[in-house]
């Protein structure tokens, strides 16, 4: 007969139970006694100081007597456990200011299993065993830690830590699988990662594995979908990811097609108004081509750097703020740049504009229009600065002239 145990899952949501019986903890997802249980289940059987727990539960609140409040919370959790499906017993052991969960029953916590596997990974020397530990970590990580409590500081801190561990071990596993030529596992692992964190660069691994497996149609669909998303949202990959994405794109070959097929592939499915948004690699291709055209006497252009500014007029360093302003700024680009112009996101707060036919003396006017429109969309706060980088004659191959 299988041993009944207390099981707790906190990645991607929260659920707990004893065998097939579920622990409910009432309807309030943020209740303090429920949070206390969750804190204890991150390290079942291990001790937590009352000071540490009180900081987690009441750190952001004005509580007259945190110790008394914690004692009350411990009492409430103890009373709940007495009526829960768990066998009778005193599960909350308090000794000299240290609280731990230890009632003599087996506990299976996904977070604790995750931490133990990560700890063993750091100590292990054998590459194969390290990869298996990575597999375990990746299978345990089903999403953000306690997502419904994402406004709680203690949850935010732990969630960020777990995510970093997941990403680190995920990268190790993908590199290992690629070296081993296990593209089937590589595809499965990267697909799962892309599902949890869409357009975070994991699609690159999946496309590469799909090509190796001969599933080129799926590889092309994933590539096109990723490209379209980045263009639509103005999102971007890291410089290293962009280079990998470009190389993988070059490996995708279309099957032989008719003139109609070729037209559908090349043309915009639904041409929008205003400037054209594209990925940084696509923007780079446009810029390089225009430089070549200029040599043959083609139409001039202006390459402009647009930087988001804070209320003090300094370049923004807050990534979260930059992401919030992204849609507003791109809307200003679409409204005040022409249909033949191109723009892309270069970094968190920097954008590149390629204005065809615009001259050096036009840059100030372009900047003023975009800045004014952007300020209106932001309620008068912040702004942008525009600076000419190249008017077609300044940068030459191999560096700046």
């Amino acid at each position: 007969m299988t041993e009944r145990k207390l099981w707790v899952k906190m990645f991607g949501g929260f659920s707990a139970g004893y065998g097939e019986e579920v622990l409910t903890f009432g309807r309030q997802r943020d209740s303090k006694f429920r949070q206390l249980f969750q804190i204890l289940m991150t390290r079942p059987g291990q001790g937590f100081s009352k000071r540490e727990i009180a900081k987690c539960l009441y750190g952001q609140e004005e509580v007259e007597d945190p110790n008394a409040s914690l004692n009350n919370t411990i009492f409430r959790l103890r009373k709940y456990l007495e009526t829960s499906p768990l066998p009778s017993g005193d599960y909350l052991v308090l000794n000299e200011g240290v609280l731990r969960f230890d009632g003599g029953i087996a506990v299976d916590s996904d977070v604790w299993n995750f931490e133990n596997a990560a700890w063993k990974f750091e100590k292990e020397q054998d590459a194969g065993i390290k990869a298996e530990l990575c597999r375990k970590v990746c299978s345990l990580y089903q999403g953000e830690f306690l997502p419904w409590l994402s406004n709680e500081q203690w949850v935010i801190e732990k969630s960020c830590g777990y995510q970093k561990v997941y990403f680190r071990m995920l990268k190790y596993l993908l590199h290992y699988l690629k070296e081993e030529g296990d593209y089937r596992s590589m595809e499965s692992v990267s697909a799962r990662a892309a599902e949890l964190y869409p357009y975070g660069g994991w699609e690159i691994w999946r496309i590469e594995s799909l090509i190796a497996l001969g599933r080129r149609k799926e590889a092309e669909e994933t590539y096109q979908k990723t490209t379209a998303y980045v263009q639509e949202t103005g999102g971007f990959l890291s410089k290293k990811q962009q280079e990998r994405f470009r190389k993988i794109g070059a490996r995708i070959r279309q099957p032989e097609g008719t003139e109609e097929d070729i037209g559908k592939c090349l043309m915009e499915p639904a041409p929008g108004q205003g400037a054209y948004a594209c990925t940084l690699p696509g923007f780079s291709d446009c810029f390089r081509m225009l430089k070549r055209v200029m040599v043959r006497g083609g139409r001039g252009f202006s390459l402009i750097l647009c930087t988001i500014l804070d209320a003090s007029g300094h370049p923004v360093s807050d990534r979260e703020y930059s992401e919030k302003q992204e849609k507003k700024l791109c809307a200003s680009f679409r409204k005040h740049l022409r249909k033949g112009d191109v723009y892309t996101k270069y970094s968190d707060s920097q954008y590149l504009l390629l204005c065809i036919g615009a001259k050096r003396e036009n840059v100030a006017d372009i900047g003023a229009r975009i800045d004014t429109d952007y300020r209106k969309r932001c309620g008068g706060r912040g702004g942008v600065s525009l600076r000419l980088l190249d008017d077609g004659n300044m940068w030459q191959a191999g560096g700046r002239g």
Side-chain angles (χ1 to χ4, degrees):
M1 184 176 179
T2 304
E3 178 189 18
R4 296 181 73 190
K5 62 177 67 174
L6 169 62
W7 54 266
V8 183
K9 299 183 183 300
M10 293 183 279
F11 283 128
F14 173 69
S15 58
Y18 183 68
E20 296 181 356
E21 298 182 82
V22 176
L23 277 65
T24 60
F25 293 95
R27 296 182 179 179
Q28 287 185 293
R29 291 177 175 176
D30 60 348
S31 64
K32 295 302 181 185
F33 81 93
R34 176 172 168 160
Q35 286 190 54
L36 173 58
F37 176 81
Q38 292 163 338
I39 291 170
L40 295 174
M41 287 300 103
T42 60
R43 302 199 306 266
Q46 309 299 305
F48 293 80
S49 70
K50 290 182 69 178
R51 184 189 299 273
E52 179 184 1
I53 297 172
K55 183 179 179 181
C56 291
L57 294 178
Y58 314 114
Q60 304 295 316
E61 303 174 17
E62 293 184 6
V63 178
E64 186 174 335
D65 188 343
N67 186 61
S69 296
L70 178 54
N71 287 336
N72 181 57
T73 301
I74 294 172
F75 174 78
R76 290 182 61 204
L77 177 57
R78 183 173 279 125
K79 294 298 289 183
Y80 170 76
L81 293 176
E82 288 175 0
T83 62
S84 74
L86 297 180
S88 298
D90 186 6
Y91 294 97
L92 302 183
V93 180
L94 182 60
N95 184 27
E96 296 183 351
V98 176
L99 181 68
R100 61 190 172 89
F101 185 96
D102 189 2
I105 61 172
V107 181
D108 184 10
S109 163
D110 60 347
V111 170
W112 187 227
N113 293 338
F114 177 97
E115 287 196 4
N116 280 316
W119 181 82
K120 291 177 182 177
F121 170 85
E122 298 295 342
K123 302 294 182 181
E124 183 58 55
Q125 298 298 318
D126 183 89
I129 297 176
K130 288 174 79 74
E132 286 306 311
L133 289 167
C134 288
R135 285 182 192 269
K136 183 174 182 179
V137 162
C138 291
S139 65
L140 286 167
Y141 192 87
Q142 296 294 309
E144 300 285 338
F145 173 68
L146 297 177
W148 288 303
L149 292 177
S150 58
N151 60 328
E152 296 287 343
Q153 187 60 36
W154 74 273
V155 173
I156 294 172
E157 292 173 2
K158 283 193 171 293
S159 183
C160 289
Y162 295 142
Q163 186 190 88
K164 287 179 181 178
V165 171
Y166 169 66
F167 285 162
R168 179 166 178 267
M169 299 186 74
L170 176 59
K171 288 177 183 177
Y172 182 95
L173 178 58
L174 289 171
H175 280 291
Y176 177 85
L177 294 172
K178 183 177 179 180
E179 290 175 3
E180 292 293 306
D182 187 354
Y183 293 104
R184 193 172 301 280
S185 294
M186 180 175 154
E187 191 276 328
S188 176
V189 170
S190 57
R192 176 61 179 154
E195 183 180 337
L196 292 175
Y197 295 100
Y199 309 107
W202 309 113
E203 289 81 5
I204 298 174
W205 290 93
R206 182 162 188 248
I207 293 168
E208 191 171 355
S209 60
L210 288 170
I211 293 173
L213 291 168
R215 293 156 60 181
R216 290 187 171 271
K217 185 175 181 180
E218 290 178 71
E220 180 198 342
E221 289 175 351
T222 304
Y223 180 83
Q224 296 295 349
K225 186 177 180 180
T226 303
T227 301
Y229 176 86
V230 173
Q231 291 177 346
E232 180 183 345
T233 64
F236 69 104
L237 305 172
S238 69
K239 304 296 184 294
K240 189 174 181 180
Q241 288 173 332
Q242 289 168 12
E243 185 59 30
R244 281 190 66 201
F245 196 60
R246 177 192 288 276
K247 288 180 180 178
I248 289 174
R251 292 170 59 189
I252 296 177
R253 296 290 182 268
Q254 291 283 107
E256 184 174 334
T258 64
E259 292 181 9
E260 183 179 358
D261 293 331
I262 295 171
K264 287 181 179 179
C265 175
L266 296 178
M267 295 298 292
E268 287 184 79
Q273 297 298 314
Y276 179 71
C278 65
T279 62
L280 184 56
F283 185 94
S284 178
D285 287 336
C286 291
F287 173 74
R288 293 169 186 175
M289 187 62 204
L290 284 172
K291 292 289 283 187
R292 287 170 174 254
V293 171
M294 283 288 291
V295 175
R296 301 186 63 180
R299 194 178 182 192
F301 65 86
S302 287
L303 174 66
I304 302 170
L305 172 65
C306 178
T307 306
I308 300 177
L309 306 176
D310 59 23
S312 301
H314 300 116
V316 170
S317 58
D318 186 334
R319 181 174 185 176
E320 185 176 346
Y321 176 81
S322 297
E323 290 177 349
K324 287 181 179 178
Q325 305 305 97
E326 187 174 312
K327 288 186 178 180
K328 299 172 186 176
L329 182 55
C330 289
S332 296
F333 291 156
R334 288 192 294 272
K335 182 175 180 180
H336 291 285
L337 295 179
R338 292 168 299 183
K339 197 169 185 178
D341 297 334
V342 184
Y343 69 90
T344 191
K345 187 171 185 177
Y346 183 79
S347 70
D348 288 331
S349 61
Q350 294 176 309
Y351 293 77
L352 294 175
L353 317 179
L354 199 53
C355 299
I356 314 302
K359 299 179 180 179
R360 178 186 292 266
E361 54 267 28
N362 301 136
V363 174
D365 184 51
I366 294 171
R369 292 201 307 268
I370 293 175
D371 182 60
T372 299
D373 185 79
Y374 173 71
R375 286 176 180 273
K376 288 180 181 178
R377 296 175 190 273
C378 297
R381 297 183 297 274
V384 294
S385 69
L386 273 75
R387 180 164 64 90
L388 178 69
L389 297 183
D390 191 358
D391 61 1
N393 301 303
M394 296 163 65
W395 285 358
Q396 305 300 330
R400 187 164 184 167

